[in-house]
């Protein structure tokens, strides 16, 4: 069973008169939040605090959804948990917007928002604005959110360079916030939470002074309970021009099963990175793909896919071995990290071979419908995947042409020899 330890700290910084950030550390509920408010006359402080409260109450009211996720991380329960977080943030958005429209002193107030809700071995991230979530795993830091800022959009579009972004007058302009309008687009992400993981939630008052690759070194240099103080002190030392807030969440588990859980999570990600379709995605995008995947275990001798039968799933071997058979003849053997069935992600065409478990085998399964749903929500990811599909198909076409060319040469040679054989 996964357990968490969390600590947080918020600080006004060295330049501001008021702290408009808000945070929540609630291990009993499994909910952790950082919100960075904006608006005059302390309205930002009202917006961030209200966002925290509304989201918290919505998750308390519907806590059975997170309990279901903890019991069974099925695709349906994962989707329900992601929807729960999205609806909670939308409720906060509508609440803040209503207050702002009825109170002239708070008109235009809003807040950035990021949260992590833990349900069993899964975490649900909800995100709007430029507050961030990092994951530190095995000594490496991965950013799990993308800033909703004008600079980020320009970088994605390729209209500015990273060097230009660092000095742009628009670097603090956000493109999404909770409460500015009646509703807002909420990014959600399901992530594995395994023993040894550490999540860092923070406002831009911290990450504005901290490179992503510095996060892991700070985490490694201090005990968990001291990390918020370390992060805040670092931001203040480097200028402290904004309010600074950070929440750190460390994951632990039963030592008897922790090693296996960590190994499987790492195997899933490493296997995904090696598949041509997914190797060019960012860590966050790869995590999003993994959030659509399920796992299945097959006993020795069981057929996983059958030649000639339709299928729309990609299988990745996590543990065990499988045999690939064509017309009853084994043509290949796949071990951990091997994959098969990727063309099923394109259409429901008949399988070209039978794949059978040689020994008890655990697989990760990605279905076409779930992947297409993700692509509809994530346009940049969709473009990358479609381009990768084209590359894979192009490679296969070249291989087929090469094989046909060799076959033609062999046939021509055989036909040239045949008259002499007849003589």
């Amino acid at each position: 069973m996964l357990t968490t330890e969390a600590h947080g700290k918020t600080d006004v910084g060295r330049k501001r008169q008021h702290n408009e950030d808000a945070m929540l550390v609630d291990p009993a509920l499994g909910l952790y939040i950082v919100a960075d408010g904006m608006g005059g006359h302390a309205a930002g402080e009202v917006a961030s605090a209200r966002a925290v409260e509304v989201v918290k109450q919505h998750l308390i009211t519907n806590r059975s959804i997170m309990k279901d996720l903890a019991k069974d991380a099925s695709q349906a329960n994962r989707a329900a948990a992601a929807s729960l977080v999205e609806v909670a943030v939308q409720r906060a958005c509508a609440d803040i917007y209503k207050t702002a429209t009825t109170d002239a002193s708070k008109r235009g107030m809003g807040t950035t928002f990021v949260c992590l809700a833990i349900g069993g071995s899964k975490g649900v991230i909800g995100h709007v604005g430029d507050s961030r979530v990092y994951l530190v795993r095995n000594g490496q830091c991965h950013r799990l959110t993308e800033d909703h800022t004008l600079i980020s959009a320009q970088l994605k579009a390729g209209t500015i360079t990273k060097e230009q972004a660092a000095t742009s007058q628009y670097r603090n302009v956000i493109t999404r916030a909770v409460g500015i309008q009646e509703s807002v687009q909420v990014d959600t992400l399901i992530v594995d939470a395994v023993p040894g993981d550490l999540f860092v939630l923070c406002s831009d008052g911290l990450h504005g002074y901290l490179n992503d690759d510095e996060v892991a070194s700070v985490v490694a240099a201090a005990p968990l309970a001291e990390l918020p103080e370390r992060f805040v002190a670092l931001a203040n030392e480097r200028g402290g021009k904004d309010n600074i807030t950070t929440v750190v969440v460390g994951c632990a588990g039963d030592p008897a099963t922790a090693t296996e859980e960590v190994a499987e999570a790492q195997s899933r990600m490493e296997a995904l990175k090696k598949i041509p379709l997914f190797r060019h995605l960012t860590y966050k995008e790869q995590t999003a793909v993994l959030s659509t995947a399920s796992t299945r275990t097959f006993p020795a001798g069981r057929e996983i896919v059958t030649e000639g039968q339709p299928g729309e799933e990609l299988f990745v071997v996590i543990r065990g071995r499988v045999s690939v058979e064509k017309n009853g003849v084994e043509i290949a053997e796949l071990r951990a990290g091997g994959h098969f069935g990727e063309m099923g992600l394109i259409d429901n065409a008949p399988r070209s071979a039978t794949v059978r478990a040689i020994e008890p085998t655990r697989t990760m399964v990605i279905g076409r419908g779930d992947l297409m749903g993700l692509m509809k929500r994530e346009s940049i990811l969709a473009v990358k995947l479609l381009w990768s599909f084209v590359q894979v198909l192009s490679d296969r076409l070249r291989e087929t042409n090469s094989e046909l060319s060799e076959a033609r040469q062999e046939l021509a040679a055989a036909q040239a020899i045949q008259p002499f054989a007849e003589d």
Side-chain angles (χ1 to χ4, degrees):
M1 179 179 176
L2 190 78
T3 60
T4 59
E5 177 187 349
H7 304 274
K9 182 175 177 62
T10 184
D11 186 82
V12 71
R14 292 186 168 183
K15 305 294 184 181
R16 299 292 180 88
Q17 299 299 313
H18 303 285
N19 190 348
E20 295 186 314
D21 285 3
M23 69 175 191
L24 176 71
V25 178
D26 192 336
L29 187 58
L31 181 61
Y32 310 95
I33 300 174
V34 168
D36 179 357
M38 63 196 77
H41 305 291
E45 182 179 335
V46 173
S48 60
R50 190 60 187 155
V52 169
E53 183 60 24
V54 171
V55 170
K56 176 183 177 181
Q57 290 304 318
H58 189 72
L59 263 69
I60 289 174
T61 303
N62 299 277
R63 65 191 311 166
S64 61
I65 294 176
M66 295 304 296
K67 289 181 178 179
D68 289 342
L69 178 65
K71 292 176 184 177
D72 178 15
S74 66
Q75 190 61 40
N77 286 345
R78 280 181 278 175
S83 178
L84 170 68
V85 169
E86 180 179 357
V87 170
V89 179
Q90 293 287 13
R91 282 176 173 261
C93 188
D95 182 283
I96 295 167
Y97 179 78
K98 182 179 178 180
T99 300
T101 55
T102 56
D103 185 342
S105 68
K106 296 178 174 58
R107 192 156 295 158
M109 73 175 177
T111 183
T112 70
F113 184 92
V114 70
C115 73
L116 172 68
I118 299 289
S121 62
K122 301 294 180 183
V124 186
I125 292 172
H127 172 234
V128 177
D130 64 351
S131 292
R132 294 181 181 175
V133 178
Y134 296 97
L135 167 63
V136 179
R137 175 179 286 172
N138 296 327
Q140 293 185 313
C141 177
H142 309 282
R143 195 199 302 181
L144 298 181
T145 55
E146 293 182 1
D147 295 345
H148 300 141
T149 62
L150 181 58
I151 288 295
S152 179
Q154 290 175 324
L155 285 169
K156 277 186 178 182
T159 57
I160 62 171
T161 65
K162 289 184 178 180
E163 292 73 22
Q164 291 171 326
T167 58
S168 171
Q169 60 180 320
Y170 302 114
R171 61 184 180 274
N172 295 321
V173 177
I174 63 172
T175 54
R176 289 190 221 169
V178 177
I180 298 297
Q181 296 178 318
E182 194 169 6
S183 64
V184 67
Q185 183 180 343
V186 183
D187 286 355
T188 59
L189 180 67
I190 306 289
V191 297
D192 289 326
V194 299
D197 283 352
L198 189 140
F199 295 91
V200 179
L201 290 71
C202 65
S203 62
D204 67 332
L206 173 59
H207 70 68
Y209 290 108
L210 192 66
N211 294 325
D212 291 1
D213 55 8
E214 289 184 277
V215 176
S217 60
V218 175
V219 166
L224 182 67
E226 297 178 12
L227 287 177
E229 185 69 44
R230 290 285 186 99
F231 279 124
V232 168
L234 181 63
N236 275 324
E237 288 169 8
R238 295 180 178 182
K241 66 178 182 179
D242 200 353
N243 304 147
I244 310 157
T245 302
T246 184
V247 172
V248 296
V249 184
C251 301
D254 182 354
T257 59
T259 301
E260 182 178 340
E261 292 173 4
V262 172
E264 177 158 319
Q266 187 170 351
S267 295
R268 283 158 51 96
M269 179 59 81
E270 290 304 316
L272 192 75
K273 288 179 179 179
K274 294 177 182 177
I275 298 174
L277 284 177
F278 308 113
R279 67 172 52 150
H280 300 299
L281 301 182
T282 65
Y283 189 92
K284 175 187 176 293
E285 291 166 339
Q286 290 168 343
T287 300
V289 172
L290 287 179
S291 74
T292 71
S294 59
T295 54
R296 296 181 200 166
T297 302
F298 299 89
R302 175 72 58 85
E303 287 188 0
I304 301 174
V305 301
T306 304
E307 185 177 355
Q309 295 296 313
E312 54 180 24
E313 295 171 320
L314 164 68
F315 292 82
V316 183
V317 179
I318 302 300
R319 292 197 303 271
R321 293 182 298 145
V322 301
S323 170
V324 182
E325 304 167 2
K326 184 76 171 176
N327 297 323
V329 178
E330 181 176 318
I331 59 174
E333 180 181 303
L334 301 177
R335 297 173 179 267
H339 67 280
F340 54 92
E342 62 188 350
M343 288 300 104
L345 296 178
I346 299 177
D347 59 28
N348 202 25
R351 299 292 192 181
S352 60
T354 293
V355 181
R356 190 187 314 274
I358 298 174
E359 60 190 32
T361 299
R362 188 167 177 81
T363 64
M364 178 173 68
V365 185
I366 300 173
R368 178 159 56 97
D370 294 327
L371 186 61
M372 293 301 173
L374 174 63
M375 292 170 67
K376 288 179 181 178
R377 298 191 301 272
E378 302 283 348
S379 59
I380 300 297
L381 181 149
V383 171
K384 289 182 179 180
L385 285 181
L386 289 173
W387 182 248
S388 294
F389 272 126
V390 171
Q391 289 181 313
V392 168
L393 291 173
S394 177
D395 290 342
R396 292 198 173 194
L397 182 59
R398 279 194 291 268
E399 290 175 7
T400 301
N401 285 338
S402 177
E403 291 171 358
L404 286 174
S405 178
E406 292 175 2
R408 289 192 192 99
Q409 292 175 3
E410 292 174 1
L411 179 60
Q415 290 173 338
I417 295 172
Q418 187 175 2
F420 296 99
E422 290 175 352
D423 292 342

